[in-house]
């Protein structure tokens, strides 16, 4: 009963995390006339403030000394911070420039790019269904590029930057709150310096647009941290296969907002490209679920086999005597 409650709680956290990530395109336009780089800088600065308060409340500081004593981890953290800043900045720019649908495509193809990086960088081997999914996604990119007259560079940059970020995080092996703190700490001084420079040049919108606008810019820290906290709570309560399915909620919401709320154009070639991507994701999801089911069956069989000898009753002396040759 307790396990069922934990799983239900985890699902709610998961829906909350991916739901907030899916609805965030509604938030970035509220920050105009701030430009994407200014919004990104505020996001970095205020995120550090939020996670710093969280760590202070939880008293989780010991990892900092360990990180500072490991130059390789520090370098990977700086690389992760650089890559995620590219992802964040481009996403904000795309949303505020009428490219929500193309941005959503980036997160639809992100799992496929992650698989490709696993093959190219980690030397992982793919099953036939996974190869088929990657091939279909490549065909989708070609269809979108031909139909639009250019490659979907926003989608590809978002997908590759986030997949690279995931790969670096896998190498780092740090917790969500700790890694976000370390990354925003790396980005804090450049971001703060940029904001101070904007202010000195008279180009900052932080104070020029009123108290409400200042509060919205400051809330970018919460917009960054709250979904991550929910994601972390979901990750420890639900199976990885379930979490993998939930990740599609965010781009589905983003796509829906782009078409239905922002009224972005969806010509036939764009529908064709998206349809191919969705076919690839259906194949990938089916293969992942089948693999998870087989793993559960194998574990159950192994557990049953291990328990079988213990389940046999001990032989009595009379039974053993009865089998002895006369």
């Amino acid at each position: 009963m307790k396990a069922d409650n934990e799983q239900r709680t985890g699902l709610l956290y998961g829906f909350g995390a991916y739901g907030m990530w899916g609805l965030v395109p509604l938030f970035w336009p509220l920050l105009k006339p701030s430009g994407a780089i200014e919004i990104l800088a505020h996001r970095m600065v205020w995120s550090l403030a939020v996670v710093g308060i969280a760590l202070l409340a939880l008293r989780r500081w010991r990892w900092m000394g360990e990180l500072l004593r490991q130059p390789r981890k520090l370098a990977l953290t700086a690389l992760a911070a650089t890559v995620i800043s590219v992802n964040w900045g481009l996403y904000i720019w795309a949303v505020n420039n009428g490219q929500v649908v193309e941005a959503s495509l980036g997160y639809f193809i992100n799992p496929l790019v992650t698989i490709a990086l696993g093959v190219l960088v980690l030397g992982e081997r793919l099953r036939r269904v996974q190869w088929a999914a990657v091939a279909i996604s490549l065909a989708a990119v070609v269809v979108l590029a031909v139909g639009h007259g250019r490659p979907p560079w926003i989608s590809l940059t978002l997908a590759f930057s986030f997949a690279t970020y995931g790969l670096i995080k896998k190498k780092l092996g740090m917790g969500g709150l700790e890694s976000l703190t370390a990354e925003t700490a790396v980005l804090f001084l450049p971001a703060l310096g940029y904001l101070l420079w904007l202010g000195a040049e008279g180009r900052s919108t932080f104070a020029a647009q009123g108290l409400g606008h200042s509060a919205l810019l400051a809330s970018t820290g919460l917009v960054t941290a709250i979904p991550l906290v929910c994601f972390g709570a979901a990750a420890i309560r639900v199976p990885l296969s379930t979490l993998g399915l939930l990740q599609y909620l965010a781009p589905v919401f983003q796509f829906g907002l782009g078409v239905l709320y922002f009224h972005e154009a969806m010509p036939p070639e764009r529908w064709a490209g998206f349809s191919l991507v969705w076919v690839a994701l259906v194949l990938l999801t089916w293969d992942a679920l089948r693999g998870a089911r087989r793993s559960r069956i194998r574990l159950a069989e192994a557990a049953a086999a291990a328990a079988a000898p213990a389940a046999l009753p001990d032989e009595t002396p009379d039974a053993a005597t009865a089998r002895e040759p006369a």
Side-chain angles (χ1 to χ4, degrees):
M1 187 68 177
K2 186 179 178 182
D4 290 340
N5 288 335
E6 281 287 291
Q7 196 154 36
R8 276 194 291 270
T9 303
L11 280 172
L12 288 174
Y13 277 122
F15 278 116
Y18 286 108
M20 282 184 276
W21 281 325
L23 296 175
V24 79
L26 296 172
F27 178 71
W28 302 126
L30 300 177
L31 303 180
K32 291 179 179 180
S34 300
I37 304 301
E38 184 180 2
I39 295 171
L40 176 64
H42 276 287
R43 189 177 186 180
M44 294 169 179
V45 169
W46 295 109
S47 293
L48 183 61
V50 171
V51 294
I53 292 169
L55 286 174
L56 189 63
L58 296 171
R59 297 182 180 179
R60 282 160 56 177
W61 299 101
R62 188 176 299 174
W63 60 273
M64 288 186 177
E66 296 173 2
L67 178 62
L68 291 172
R69 289 192 293 271
Q70 300 180 64
R72 181 177 175 275
K73 264 198 168 184
L74 273 175
L76 284 174
T77 300
L79 183 59
T82 303
V83 171
I84 200 60
S85 64
V86 170
N87 184 275
W88 286 355
L90 180 58
Y91 183 75
I92 295 167
W93 180 89
V95 170
N96 284 355
N97 284 272
Q99 301 292 333
V100 176
V101 169
E102 188 169 339
S104 75
L105 177 63
Y107 294 105
F108 274 124
I109 65 176
N110 174 65
L112 298 155
V113 174
T114 300
I115 288 174
L117 285 180
V119 173
L120 296 173
V121 179
L122 302 178
E124 295 176 355
R125 298 179 64 182
L126 298 187
R127 295 182 290 275
R128 290 180 184 177
V129 175
Q130 291 174 314
W131 276 118
V134 171
I136 292 170
S137 68
L138 288 174
V141 171
V142 171
V143 168
L144 290 165
V146 171
H148 200 55
R150 62 167 178 81
W153 66 270
I154 294 173
S155 306
L156 293 173
T157 305
L158 288 173
F160 274 93
S161 59
F162 201 74
T164 304
Y165 178 68
L167 183 66
I168 297 168
K169 297 272 276 191
K170 184 179 176 67
K171 296 282 188 183
L172 276 170
M174 292 172 65
L177 188 61
E178 289 83 356
S179 61
L180 180 63
T181 305
E183 290 154 21
T184 49
V186 168
L187 298 168
F188 178 79
L189 286 179
L192 183 62
Y194 177 76
L195 292 176
L196 292 174
W197 175 78
L198 277 183
E201 292 286 309
R203 293 162 55 192
S204 172
T205 65
F206 182 69
Q209 298 296 318
L211 188 61
H213 185 73
S214 302
L216 282 172
L217 284 172
S219 68
T220 55
L222 291 172
V223 169
T224 300
I226 291 175
L228 282 170
V229 171
C230 290
F231 174 78
I236 61 174
R237 287 176 171 87
V238 299
L240 194 60
S241 56
T242 304
L243 209 59
L245 291 175
L246 288 175
Q247 74 175 320
Y248 298 130
L249 283 176
V252 165
F253 286 171
Q254 292 163 11
F255 176 79
L257 286 173
V259 175
L260 301 174
Y261 182 81
F262 294 104
H263 305 292
E264 293 184 16
M266 282 296 293
E269 62 273 12
R270 183 172 259 192
W271 278 114
F274 268 82
S275 298
L276 286 172
V277 169
W278 293 332
V279 168
L281 290 176
V282 167
L283 284 174
L284 198 63
T285 303
W286 172 74
D287 182 66
L289 291 174
R290 185 180 63 166
R293 182 174 174 273
R294 285 179 174 174
S295 296
R296 285 196 299 269
I297 291 171
R298 282 197 294 268
L299 284 171
E301 289 174 347
L312 292 173
D314 294 335
E315 285 188 334
T316 63
D318 289 342
T321 305
R323 283 207 307 271
E324 287 180 1

